[in-house]
Amino acid sequence: MDGASIYREKLTRLETAVAGKEPDRVPITAMSSLFHGRYAGYTAQEIYFDYAKNHDAAIKTAQDFDFDSLLILNGLEGTNMSLTFMKNQPQLAAGARFMLATYHTILKDVYTKWPGAELEPTSHPQFIGKEIMKPDEFGQLIADPSGFLNRVALPRMCPALADPGSPAANAAMLAYGAEIAKAGAASGALIGDLGKMGIPTFPTSWGYAPLDVVSDFLRDIKNIVLDIYRRPDLVKQAADALVDPLIESARLTGAVPPEVKKALGTNVVECFFPLHLNEYLNPKIYNEFYWPSLKKVLNATIDMGQTPYILFEGRHDAHLDTLLELPKKKIVAVFDKTDPRKVRDVLGDHVILVAGPPNSLLIGGTPQKVDDYMKSLLNDCKDGGMMIYPGADGGISGDARPENVKALIDAVKKYGEY
């Protein structure tokens, strides 16, 4: 088949699965942040700092591995930046959602480290938690989230912007805006070339759990856990204050122009939610402090017609039943360490299940062990519709053995038909 025919076949398979139905077979939805670079012979430094090399590596990987979709994620979490600019500089908000290595060199942000900069050229980038907001500043965040992020948090997070309005800060902002445009053009070119090969891409908007914003970017995990006990009312109020900004983030970034929807051939818009604190909280704390504000954002996103695509990082076992409070088959649920069989036992087909082998198997296993794992997983879980996410704990590791990734694809084709 030609690229256009392959595209239609894969897009139909993906859309059917996202609708909570059974397609011709289970789709394989891959994500790579480093695997594609190493597979193509590049260092981590090269693919994170050179858009052309990242593009070449992604195309080679797409040619050699028959995924139904391939997301190249070459940044670290940066929703704080998106929220900072959303109100006054919305043109920057979508491009600021991830912190890229190229942005880091301009802004000198304190919470990421990159190969070839602070790390060895072959290393994976790192997100470093920091206490940006002091305990006595909760009130400022609650009263005016956007104002606090702009006036107080941004200069602390990005030393290049430490003196707002200065020539140095203005120059950094101009360079940052130009780099966002350059990165956006590179991303668009990659999506276009993948499409010509028959690899679809869904438009993506950006969401986040309100309490994760406070934890990841302002207080750090260890401090927010203490805050829950020391200043519980302020923690709840801070999470509630971020609900509307995060709903607006989904609305703004999910407003896909008609010509883009036409080019991609789909009306599906997936809203990406990575959950981080969930594993650290017992059910009582989760249901009191974390879930209420997140549930509001998820329901608002669903009401917009978007499909939340949620990464349940860590173990979500203790909180599975809360997902029954959401509309049936309206979220795509990717489980990191929770056994997908348990998800089926608790939720049935209430969510669109996404699961896959852990990276430990793709790194240290054999093709036969991968085949055995996939046969068991698909036999137990595919009924009712699901998708396979290679390397369920974070996408395909840069250390994954290519022969094991190919064994996964072959296994899905053998055991994943309906």
Side-chain angles (χ1 to χ4, degrees), residues 292-306:
S293 56
L294 172 59
K295 181 180 174 181
K296 291 176 185 177
V297 180
L298 290 172
N299 278 324
T301 303
I302 292 168
D303 289 343
M304 292 178 204
Q306 299 181 24

Side-chain angles (χ1 to χ4, degrees), residues 44-309:
Q45 178 181 354
E46 287 176 309
I47 61 167
Y48 287 125
F49 283 94
D50 189 322
Y51 301 131
K53 290 178 179 177
N54 183 63
H55 183 284
D56 290 346
I59 294 300
K60 177 173 176 55
T61 302
Q63 288 170 338
D64 293 352
F65 297 87
D66 191 17
F67 302 125
D68 291 295
S69 68
L70 176 59
L71 171 64
I72 301 299
L73 187 62
N74 63 340
L76 294 174
E77 291 297 343
T79 203
N80 59 315
M81 302 296 288
S82 183
L83 291 174
T84 297
F85 300 122
M86 186 176 63
K87 188 173 182 179
N88 298 315
Q89 295 175 298
Q91 70 279 7
L92 293 182
R97 172 57 181 80
F98 290 98
M99 180 61 69
L100 305 188
T102 49
Y103 302 171
H104 173 73
T105 60
I106 296 168
L107 300 176
K108 312 298 182 186
D109 69 277
V110 299
Y111 60 90
T112 65
K113 293 183 178 181
W114 295 89
E118 299 84 6
L119 306 173
E120 291 297 317
T122 57
S123 300
H124 195 284
Q126 298 176 3
F127 184 97
I128 309 297
K130 293 285 184 180
E131 182 185 18
I132 297 296
M133 182 177 78
K134 303 302 179 183
D136 60 0
E137 293 173 331
F138 265 98
Q140 296 180 52
L141 173 68
I142 292 164
D144 182 8
S146 177
F148 179 81
L149 288 170
N150 276 278
R151 293 191 306 270
V152 181
L154 184 63
R156 295 175 184 173
M157 291 186 288
C158 300
L161 306 177
D163 185 12
S166 68
N170 290 341
M173 279 301 300
L174 286 172
Y176 179 46
E179 196 62 38
I180 284 178
K182 186 177 177 181
S187 175
L190 177 57
I191 289 170
D193 285 348
L194 288 172
K196 293 174 185 176
M197 296 171 57
I199 308 292
T201 299
F202 286 137
T204 302
S205 61
W206 309 120
Y208 222 80
L211 196 56
D212 278 334
V213 174
V214 184
S215 173
D216 291 350
F217 303 107
L218 297 174
R219 291 291 291 143
D220 193 20
I221 289 178
K222 63 181 182 298
N223 289 324
I224 200 66
V225 171
L226 293 173
D227 291 335
I228 286 171
Y229 292 95
R230 292 174 175 174
R231 46 191 71 86
D233 290 341
L234 290 175
V235 171
K236 292 177 185 177
Q237 291 173 43
D240 287 341
L242 288 163
V243 167
D244 286 344
L246 286 166
I247 292 172
E248 177 61 14
S249 171
R251 186 200 66 77
L252 177 68
T253 56
V256 183
E259 61 271 19
V260 174
K261 285 188 175 182
K262 182 178 180 181
L264 296 176
T266 184
N267 289 317
V268 173
V269 176
E270 291 183 334
C271 188
F272 179 68
F273 285 82
L275 305 192
H276 298 143
L277 271 176
N278 51 320
E279 185 178 36
Y280 295 91
L281 307 178
N282 65 42
K284 181 180 183 301
I285 297 296
Y286 181 91
N287 288 326
E288 184 177 353
F289 290 87
Y290 191 89
W291 177 239
S293 56
L294 172 59
K295 181 180 174 181
K296 291 176 185 177
V297 180
L298 290 172
N299 278 324
T301 303
I302 292 168
D303 289 343
M304 292 178 204
Q306 299 181 24
T307 301
Y309 185 100

